[in-house]
Amino acid sequence: MPIPTDLNQIPDWIAAQLVRAGVDRKSAMKWPVLVTGSDASGSSGRVVVLRRFEPQNHRAVIYTDRRSRKMKDLAERSQAELVFFDPKQMLQVRLRGDAIVHADGAIKDATFDTLSARSQSDYSTITAPGARLEKPQPERELNLSRDHFALIEIDAFEYDVLSLERDGHRRALIEFSDQQCHASWVTP
Ligand SMILES: Cc1cc2nc3c(=O)[nH]c(=O)nc-3n(C[C@H](O)[C@H](O)[C@H](O)COP(=O)(O)O)c2cc1C
């Protein structure tokens, strides 16, 4: 379904696309690029899985290893961007938001318990993501531990949506502030 012509419908339309991406592995928007940055290291982007999208608060949920660079960046600068691209719709959605990290606590524990053993093992490498290795595969801990698992929630404060269309591209900016939503068309 193309981007609505009525600006007021666009926030709900984006949310519907992202809710679907959260549950549908066939959606190209399941695999956004998460961009973070820090003063020391500059900006950095990487593909992640969109695990869930909560439309009521425009919140995207990502899982990660707490030892990874993105976590260090977010500790310094909590603003982050998720870039989604759907080649079938030629649609780009850039979600800018504030990240809330759960590296400890009940939300992290409850989420980890829902993962399959195979998914849990993604967080069981002895060395941290990015650490140099002598061989291609890292060593893993013998017992599956939740220590390295973390959950990142990103609450959108802005969407920048671009739809490439044969008879004219369209781009809209949606900004959330003080419980209000402001939508405008912008030059693509
Ligand atoms: C298809 C695909 C899905 C990925 N999903 C995740 C993910 O959900 N969470 C994650 O932390 N890394 C994921 N990665 C790995 C990241 O792209 C990245 O290599 C890793 O998180 C280390 O990033 P960092 O050191 O910049 O933090 C995925 C990679 C690919 C290719």
Side-chain angles (χ1 to χ4, degrees):
M1 195 182 112
I3 186 169
T5 46
D6 179 352
L7 266 178
N8 296 323
Q9 291 177 3
I10 293 181
D12 285 349
W13 177 81
I14 298 169
Q17 305 266 330
L18 297 181
V19 166
R20 192 186 136 224
V23 294
D24 183 358
R25 292 182 64 82
K26 290 200 194 110
S27 165
M29 294 171 88
K30 180 88 184 154
W31 289 282
V33 172
L34 169 66
V35 182
T36 57
S38 71
D39 289 340
S41 317
S43 55
S44 179
R46 76 286 287 161
V47 174
V48 293
V49 179
L50 176 70
R51 306 287 169 167
R52 190 170 72 247
F53 186 80
E54 299 171 9
Q56 61 281 11
N57 41 10
H58 291 269
R59 171 176 289 173
V61 178
I62 313 293
Y63 301 162
T64 196
D65 188 309
R66 70 188 297 173
R67 301 167 294 177
S68 61
R69 172 178 170 171
K70 64 183 87 52
M71 291 286 283
K72 293 185 182 76
D73 286 355
L74 291 173
E76 188 183 317
R77 213 184 276 174
S78 64
Q79 286 191 6
E81 181 164 312
L82 282 168
V83 184
F84 300 87
F85 173 56
D86 182 340
K88 279 199 195 123
Q89 300 190 77
M90 290 306 276
L91 174 74
Q92 171 179 268
V93 176
R94 295 155 79 185
L95 179 163
R96 297 197 188 102
D98 288 312
I100 304 155
V101 167
H102 299 271
D104 294 292
I107 293 178
K108 164 209 166 121
D109 287 346
T111 305
F112 187 81
D113 289 339
T114 65
L115 302 184
S116 65
R118 187 152 173 263
S119 296
Q120 289 182 346
S121 78
D122 286 344
Y123 309 97
S124 70
T125 58
I126 292 170
T127 42
R132 288 181 204 283
L133 299 171
E134 296 295 325
K135 50 189 180 148
Q137 298 283 338
E139 301 288 338
R140 289 182 185 275
E141 289 159 358
L142 290 179
N143 298 315
L144 288 182
S145 144
R146 66 191 60 213
D147 289 355
H148 308 315
F149 176 73
L151 180 144
I152 303 169
E153 298 169 337
I154 302 177
D155 290 352
F157 56 75
E158 186 181 291
Y159 291 113
D160 184 336
V161 193
L162 173 65
S163 169
L164 298 191
E165 293 161 40
R166 232 178 268 264
D167 46 354
H169 308 327
R170 284 185 296 153
R171 181 175 172 190
L173 199 61
I174 313 296
E175 296 160 288
F176 301 102
S177 63
D178 304 328
Q179 315 282 336
Q180 303 265 337
C181 174
H182 303 277
S184 30
W185 296 114
V186 294
T187 311

